[in-house]
Each structure stands twice: as structure tokens, then as C-alpha cells.
Amino acid sequence: APLIGVLVGGFLTALGGFLRERKERKRTIAIALAELLEIRHRLVATDIIFAQIRARVEVPLQAMPALRTIFDSFLVPNDGIDERYNNAVSLLAGIDPLLAFSLRSKNTLPKVLASLRGLAIGSGANLEEFESVESSIRLAVVPNLNAAAMELARHHSWITKRRVRELVSQ
């Protein structure tokens, strides 16, 4: 009887440790997923807003980079999302370093595009061509952000994966 009690106690202790570790892992993944979805949302929402503007008002392509710069400056404030995302990915690296590695630079595109846009405007480059390139880059990046979000959601739970799939499809 004492031996059975020790075995049951050991099993329950191991089970409790496993459940606590699993809960902490899911919490870390959820934080990274929320920040990645926020980055994705800002990128996709900006594209949707500009598509709606161009559908209603005829805006020349050469004016779009300046309009994007103005939009970035006052409508989409950077409220520490880069720092939060980097912290979340760093926490995730302690659990799954390969997954964290694949997510590491997903938040840099908006800053890179803004810098390139500033250079294009300042240097007198062909802004119509630059807008075309920027739109192509944005279209190429969104599927990567979607795939990264789906991968994180898959590591979290099947319910989260289903909900993220629905969100991404919208």
C-alpha cells in the first residue's frame, strides 16, 4: 500500500508538472501569435484602405508613396509592437528555437518599406514604379505572415488553428 501511494503520488506530481509546462508553453505561443497577428493586421489593413481609396478616388500611382508615408505617420502609431513582438519571439526561443528563428524578422517589413519609400521620395526616383514594387512586395509577404500565423496556431491548439484560419481567410 505505501509503495502504491508513492507511485500514485509520483505519477500525479509528474502529471501536474507536465500540465503546468504545457500551459506555460501555450501562453508563450499565444503571446507571439497575438503580436504576429497584429503585425499582419496592420499590413493587410493598410493595403485594404489604400485599395478602397483608389477605388473611390483616382489617385495617381506616383502620389501613393507620399500618401503611404503620411498614413504611416499619423494613422498607424507604433505603440511598442516591435518590442513586444521581439520579446514574445525571445520567450518562444526558449521553448522552440526553430519556430522562433522562423518568426524572428517578420516585423521588419513595414520599417524597411518606410525607409525605402523615404529614399525613393527624397532621391526623385520614379514613384509610380516604386509604388508598383512596394505593392508587389506587400503581396508576396502577406502569405508568409499567414503561414507563420498558422504555424503558431497549430503549435497552440487545433481550436486556435481553426480560428486563425478563419481570421486569415477574411
Side-chain angles (χ1 to χ4, degrees):
L3 182 59
I4 291 174
V6 168
L7 288 174
V8 169
F11 174 75
L12 291 176
T13 301
L15 180 62
F18 171 77
L19 292 176
R20 276 190 302 280
E21 180 182 317
R22 182 172 174 236
K23 183 179 179 181
E24 180 61 27
R25 181 177 190 277
K26 286 178 79 165
R27 188 182 77 75
T28 303
I29 291 170
I31 292 169
L33 178 59
E35 298 303 332
L36 181 63
L37 287 172
E38 180 67 26
I39 290 167
R40 180 198 169 275
H41 173 72
R42 287 182 181 202
L43 190 67
V44 171
T46 302
D47 290 343
I48 290 171
I49 288 168
F50 282 108
Q52 292 297 317
I53 289 172
R54 294 202 62 219
R56 288 173 171 68
V57 178
E58 188 173 325
V59 178
L61 279 179
Q62 62 267 20
M64 289 300 291
L67 191 58
R68 284 184 189 274
T69 300
I70 292 168
F71 184 78
D72 285 348
S73 69
F74 67 89
L75 289 180
V76 185
N78 187 352
D79 55 354
I81 191 166
D82 290 333
E83 184 178 337
R84 289 193 323 263
Y85 180 75
N86 286 331
N87 290 340
V89 171
S90 295
L91 285 173
L92 185 62
I95 295 171
D96 192 341
L98 292 176
L99 182 59
F101 173 76
S102 71
L103 298 172
R104 182 55 72 185
S105 63
K106 299 290 189 216
N107 63 332
T108 59
L109 180 72
K111 291 183 288 191
V112 169
L113 288 177
S115 296
L116 289 175
R117 194 179 316 120
L119 286 172
I121 291 170
S123 69
N126 183 348
L127 295 181
E128 186 173 327
E129 190 173 311
F130 180 79
E131 175 60 26
S132 174
V133 169
E134 182 174 351
S135 295
S136 298
I137 290 171
R138 287 174 174 271
L139 286 174
V141 168
V142 170
N144 285 333
L145 291 175
N146 292 344
M150 289 303 298
E151 182 69 15
L152 272 174
R154 185 181 68 78
H155 283 282
H156 186 268
S157 70
W158 67 272
I159 293 171
T160 303
K161 181 181 176 183
R162 183 177 52 83
R163 290 175 63 200
V164 168
R165 186 182 313 123
E166 290 171 2
L167 179 74
V168 164
S169 68
Q170 293 176 359

